Amino acid sequence: EVQLVESGGGLVQPGRSLRLSCAASGFTFGDFAVSWFRQAPGKGLEWVGFIRAKFYSETTEYAASVKGRFTISRDDSKSVAYLQMNSLKTEDTAVYYCTKYGGMPDSWGQGTLVTVSP
Amino acid sequence: DVVMTQTPLSSPVTLGQPASISCMSSQSLVHRDGDTYLSWLHQRPGQSPRLLIYKISNRFSGAPDRFSGSGAGTDFTLKISRVEAEDVGIYYCMQSTHFPWTFGQGTTVEVK
């Protein structure tokens, strides 16, 4: 069974950093891209960023709202993807989800809540 | 950025009756590889989203066959042949043809 589990969320002050993890199981992690999404309280879904598989050089894409502040990486040996979030803003408050991506965003995790507040 | 526009934003439905949601994109979603990366997701209250339909009309594993997707280019539709109680929640269309990937506003399906 494909499973993705996000962790690392919590309460953080504006301007600080946080790193989220996405632990995957049930599939050959290295063969797939991984994408991160978020959902602010009571709001719709927003794409955050994407990392391609090693075959495609693990290149990344980001939403304009996080570009330059957030970095996605992966460790295929551990089947884990990361979302490094720097210079956090109050508007980054959201539940963050990771998904396996093979042409579509399947297998969403349960999400991890990030709250950015003074 | 590609703007995704869903209609209606709210859909009160009667159990056992059909329902339909439209999604229009501001530009063609045909990728240079020939595929169209238009997905439909369902989010029940308090739960994570789950994929229902990908590449316009392909049902994802576990999605009931009462769900179907259709369309091409910029106009897409999700249909539920007979709404069941478990189908309530918010439905989103999403395009992953062009970066940044974008979502529709969401359509809330509720039972009358």
Side-chain angles (χ1 to χ4, degrees):
Chain A
E1 179 193 3
V2 173
Q3 198 169 14
L4 292 102
V5 178
E6 304 90 342
S7 61
L11 175 63
V12 62
Q13 292 178 324
R16 305 298 290 261
S17 299
L18 204 60
R19 188 178 81 159
L20 306 184
S21 298
C22 168
S25 59
F27 64 102
T28 305
F29 182 74
D31 287 350
F32 290 88
V34 172
S35 191
W36 287 90
F37 298 86
R38 67 185 180 183
Q39 186 169 37
K43 301 297 184 182
L45 295 166
E46 180 187 13
W47 174 71
V48 172
F50 168 82
I51 184 166
R52 295 176 177 85
K54 186 173 184 178
F55 181 83
Y56 296 100
S57 304
E58 299 182 4
T59 51
T60 53
E61 307 284 346
Y62 298 96
S65 58
V66 306
K67 195 169 185 179
R69 299 188 298 124
F70 289 12
T71 302
I72 300 173
S73 60
R74 61 190 298 158
D75 184 340
D76 291 352
S77 68
K78 297 180 180 178
S79 295
V80 179
Y82 302 99
L83 178 63
Q84 176 68 43
M85 304 185 294
N86 298 332
S87 304
L88 281 161
K89 304 176 181 180
T90 55
E91 53 263 42
D92 294 319
T93 293
V95 174
Y96 285 74
Y97 299 99
C98 65
T99 72
K100 165 177 167 279
Y101 186 83
M104 66 282 200
D106 65 279
S107 310
W108 293 61
Q110 85 290 347
T112 187
L113 176 62
V114 173
T115 303
V116 184
S117 179
Chain B
D1 296 2
V2 178
V3 177
M4 304 294 285
T5 303
Q6 286 183 231
T7 54
L9 297 184
S10 178
S11 180
V13 297
T14 301
L15 294 179
Q17 293 300 304
S20 180
I21 301 170
S22 172
C23 176
M24 294 182 60
S25 59
S26 60
Q27 60 183 271
S28 173
L29 298 185
V30 179
H31 193 272
R32 60 179 178 268
D33 67 8
D35 274 326
T36 299
Y37 296 96
L38 185 283
S39 302
W40 289 96
L41 300 104
H42 177 215
Q43 186 173 33
R44 295 189 180 109
Q47 295 189 17
S48 303
R50 65 182 184 117
L51 180 66
L52 286 175
I53 302 286
Y54 64 96
K55 293 183 187 178
I56 302 177
S57 59
N58 296 276
R59 261 191 310 276
F60 185 60
S61 173
D65 60 9
R66 62 182 179 275
F67 290 93
S68 64
S70 62
T74 61
D75 290 350
F76 307 94
T77 303
L78 176 70
K79 292 184 179 177
I80 311 173
S81 59
R82 295 173 304 280
V83 173
E84 296 190 6
E86 65 180 19
D87 298 337
V88 298
I90 303 176
Y91 290 80
Y92 296 94
C93 60
M94 177 200 136
Q95 69 82 20
S96 53
T97 294
H98 305 286
F99 288 109
W101 298 352
T102 48
F103 289 87
Q105 317 95 302
T107 295
T108 300
V109 171
E110 54 191 7
V111 176
K112 283 181 182 175

